[in-house]
Amino acid sequence: MNKKIEFPKNFLWGGATAATQIEGAYNVDGKSLSVMEMIPFIKLKDRKDLSETRNLTTQDLLDSIENKKGLHYPKRYGIDFYNRYKEDIALFKEAGFKIFRMSVSWGRIFPNGDEEEPNKKGLEFYKNVFEECKKQGLELMVTINHFDMPFPIIQKYGGWKNRKVIDMYFKYAKTLIDEFSEYVKYWLPFNEINLGVLFSAMGLEGDSNKKTLQEKIAGTYQDLHNQFVAQAKFIEYAKNFDNTMVGCMVADATTYSIDCNPINVFENQQKEQMKKFFYYDVMTSGEYPSYSKRFFKENKIEIIKEISDDQLLKNNTIQFISFSYYMSSTIAKENTEMTEGNLMKMGKNPFLVATEWGWQIDPIGLRYCLNQLWDRYHLPLFISENGIGVLEELNESNTINDDYRIEYLGKHFEQMSEAIKDGVNLFGYTMWTPIDVVSAGSNEMSKRYGLIYVDYDDYHKGTGNRFKKKSYYWFKNFMETCEI
Ligand code: BGP
């Protein structure tokens, strides 16, 4: 018999995507390339680990523009959402979604970053998409920058370390809210702002392999500070609009101590401070927390600020917290067995099972995380990503019986419901993803997360046709009945 769990009537259920993983059409209507679209596909069996797909030099990136090496760049093609968005949005509506989270591609709106005027064709595309969502009665949550800074900004200005980029970001973000405030209520200035540390190793800092680790880390925190400032400027401006909420998006992953040895328990607390709470703390209080000051001092990191930055951050904090949650891990000590995680390796937990990509499944870790965030911040919470990536093939009935996904979602929903009973103010959930997309971290199409199967392989071969999986019908029924 199915089990009934409880959720508030107005809970916002839906799905999440990102421009570079779905749109394709990388070279039409004036769009520039983003770094994400310059990372080539490497077959799983041919690569040692994921970092191989990210250790790119500036020369690699330049060579990719005209594809001198004849490689395949999956994020240039996505799943052709650019041309098929009406069909996809109709499927989301039919599934019973109330909200759709998507991102805008910066390179469609300001291809070089420093233009005076936005690209009309880019604005037109998003207006059409938003109109379609409105027609279908879908609320929108928009990520302004989901890992896709236009490459010309990196090439000419060196990326986030240059304060001119703050102004370029603000001009871009301001254009979006000026144009689209009537469609979009929820805004997320940056996707997974705490993963920047990994992107500076991806060419965003130029030839990063020429730098020492200390230089790289220091550069990352400077980039981050400039992003905090850019976000605060946007929050300040967004106050001019009614019915608008600006939140953050942090890649969360509960971490546990390896055992009850106080040394390890404390080490876990310190890791949590700098890997997750630091980000939420700055964005909710507008101040750098005390533990970060010690961390910066001991690691010889000096953040260059302008006089007005502190006040700007203080006056412009986020209104809600959103985060992604896929897995948990333990802290990694010497000799700890490791497993893959979201863009980095993590300590293995003997009590958990992992996906084919090594991501450890832990629904109780989600309840733990929700309680931690609510207790610490007392701000409304929203889960903006959660899901499971699996190798899948259509069966003879043109569907997939993805019971593992149903089990994954059901168990997480159960823990969310428990957290709400604990008193946590959780107001919505967008699963990753309603439809198969190109993987952010591994560039594979075959790492499938969707409720809907998309007929493209890793080389973008296929019809692109969409097929509903068993989980599509299960999710639809769940939203109506709350039965798992
Ligand atoms: C998050 C990103 C998404 C997404 C997801 C799954 O880090 O915000 O863009 O893709 O993780 O990761 P992956 O695609 O690498 O499996």
Side-chain angles (χ1 to χ4, degrees), residues 20 227 298 312:
T20 45
Q227 289 177 61
E298 288 179 357
L312 183 77

Side-chain angles (χ1 to χ4, degrees), residues 54 90 97 112 133 138 142 162 184 280-281 310 332 347 367 375 432-433 462 475:
R54 293 196 296 271
F97 286 2
N112 294 309
C133 291
L138 287 171
V142 166
N162 186 336
V184 183
Y280 295 118
D281 285 351
D310 285 342
R367 179 178 176 187
D375 289 350
W432 189 270
T433 52
F475 200 174

Side-chain angles (χ1 to χ4, degrees), residues 18 21 101 146-147 191-192 195 249 251 324 326 342-343 359 385 432 437-442 447 449:
Q21 294 172 256
R101 173 179 171 234
H146 192 122
F147 299 158
N191 184 61
E192 298 189 332
L195 294 192
M249 163 48 161
S324 59
Y326 291 91
N342 195 348
L343 303 182
W359 294 21
E385 287 181 26
W432 189 270
V437 302
V438 175
S439 154
S442 73
K447 188 180 187 187
Y449 282 86

